[in-house]
Amino acid sequence: MRSLIILTEVYDPEKFIINDLVKSFLEKNIKISLVTRVPSYPTGIPFKGYKNRLKKHKISENFEVYRFPVFKGYGKSKVKKILNFLFQPFWYFYIFIFHLKKHDAMFVYQTGSLYNYSLIFPKLKSQKAVIWSQDLWPDAAK
């Protein structure tokens, strides 16, 4: 069975294309580990029913979601937004080391601070990496 690690800043219940992409991967019988933050877009306040802490959810036999905390109120504070971007690679690194086994490939949805770490990860753990980006800011590509 093929396996895929997905790095994304947003995921269900937030409404983004990544939700449809994950569904498509699962229909192709690809095992998925998805790493994302607690749903909080765009306000920076965690959605009702979600605790702002590191948590693993086993959705099915082929699908696990790892959610990491956010700095509450990042939608209105530049300092908290910057801290969120700085801490995201830390959370990915922590989850890679302590929770995930080797995957065949990595899929990065959007860029931001995810982009920098996604270039390192394939060299360490995986053979392929795909970066999906919309609304690419020129400075992210540099």
Side-chain angles (χ1 to χ4, degrees):
M1 173 184 289
R2 297 175 296 172
S3 65
L4 181 66
I5 183 168
I6 299 174
L7 307 180
T8 177
E9 292 184 53
V10 293
Y11 184 67
D12 192 45
E14 298 162 307
K15 305 294 183 203
F16 287 87
I17 295 171
I18 187 63
N19 303 338
D20 299 324
L21 293 170
V22 167
K23 183 178 177 183
S24 174
F25 293 143
L26 290 170
E27 288 171 354
K28 291 179 172 71
N29 201 30
I30 297 173
K31 183 176 181 180
I32 295 175
S33 293
L34 185 137
V35 185
T36 188
R37 63 183 178 199
V38 171
S40 56
Y41 180 82
T43 64
I45 305 298
F47 286 16
K48 187 175 183 176
Y50 289 87
K51 296 190 179 191
N52 198 21
R53 63 178 184 203
L54 182 65
K55 183 139 174 96
K56 174 185 169 185
H57 305 272
K58 188 165 188 165
I59 309 298
S60 71
E61 195 60 38
N62 291 340
F63 186 34
E64 295 177 327
V65 176
Y66 294 82
R67 293 196 185 266
F68 57 84
V70 297
F71 286 91
K72 290 182 183 178
Y74 66 83
K76 294 182 180 181
S77 167
K78 287 182 183 179
V79 171
K80 289 180 182 179
K81 189 173 283 195
I82 290 169
L83 287 172
N84 261 337
F85 285 129
L86 292 174
F87 273 86
Q88 280 179 16
F90 165 78
W91 286 114
Y92 290 118
F93 187 69
Y94 172 83
I95 291 168
F96 291 149
I97 289 178
F98 294 107
H99 297 284
L100 299 178
K101 295 180 177 149
K102 185 174 180 172
H103 290 273
D104 298 324
M106 180 176 62
F107 183 86
V108 179
Y109 178 78
Q110 301 294 20
T111 56
S113 60
L114 306 178
Y115 181 73
N116 299 327
Y117 195 76
S118 67
L119 295 175
I120 297 168
F121 181 73
K123 293 177 179 126
L124 299 176
K125 294 273 189 183
S126 176
Q127 296 178 1
K128 296 180 183 180
V130 174
I131 300 172
W132 173 298
S133 183
Q134 292 174 264
D135 302 326
L136 180 65
W137 295 21
D139 59 334
K142 291 178 187 174

